[in-house]
Amino acid sequence: KYLITAAAAVCIIILASGPSCCQSFTAHATISKRRNASPHLQMIFRDLVSNDEIDLRVSITSIQKKDDFEKFLQEDDRLCVIKLYAPFCKACKAFGKKFRKLAIDRGDPINSIGEVARHGDARFGEIDYSSKLVKELGIKKFPTVLIYRGSEQLSEITCKNDAIEKITAE
């Protein structure tokens, strides 16, 4: 009884505070879902955070094996942009920030409750250098971006300063 009253009070405060409050409220919505809150409260939390453009997360698929790679390419007809990187590489880290931004802008960003906020015109994936798949693909320089449509490779770009512009142009 007290949990419902407290949750209702929090909802009223959030509604009065406006959408800027939703970003910090995400953790509470997640916690309430785990604690089996009533379906009505879950629906209120979902409505509060599901369309929050401020708190979008990037959707980049981690690809480990050849089967994962083939499944990723065949999932739908959109472009597949795949980053091959080494975690210790400074150039990879710098490029990774730009790649994540591109993935939010052109890919499928995920909102704070784990749903796709909007479908983009490309899907994004990444392969760590330690994967055997990197050798199978014949990649020797990092970071590298591969662009596919289905199983057809359209482009291979070894990333430098202008790499994002080249990827966007593809």
Side-chain angles (χ1 to χ4, degrees), residues 57-59 78 103 106-110 116 118-120 122-124:
R57 292 181 179 91
V58 65
S59 175
R78 293 182 290 165
R106 304 292 291 270
D108 299 338
I110 296 174
V116 174
R118 65 180 180 278
H119 290 284
R123 288 183 302 110
F124 290 81

Side-chain angles (χ1 to χ4, degrees), residues 94-115:
F95 177 73
K97 293 175 186 176
K98 294 177 183 178
F99 187 79
R100 292 179 69 77
K101 182 174 181 346
L102 181 66
I104 288 176
D105 293 344
R106 304 292 291 270
D108 299 338
I110 296 174
N111 62 25
S112 55
I113 57 174
E115 297 173 341

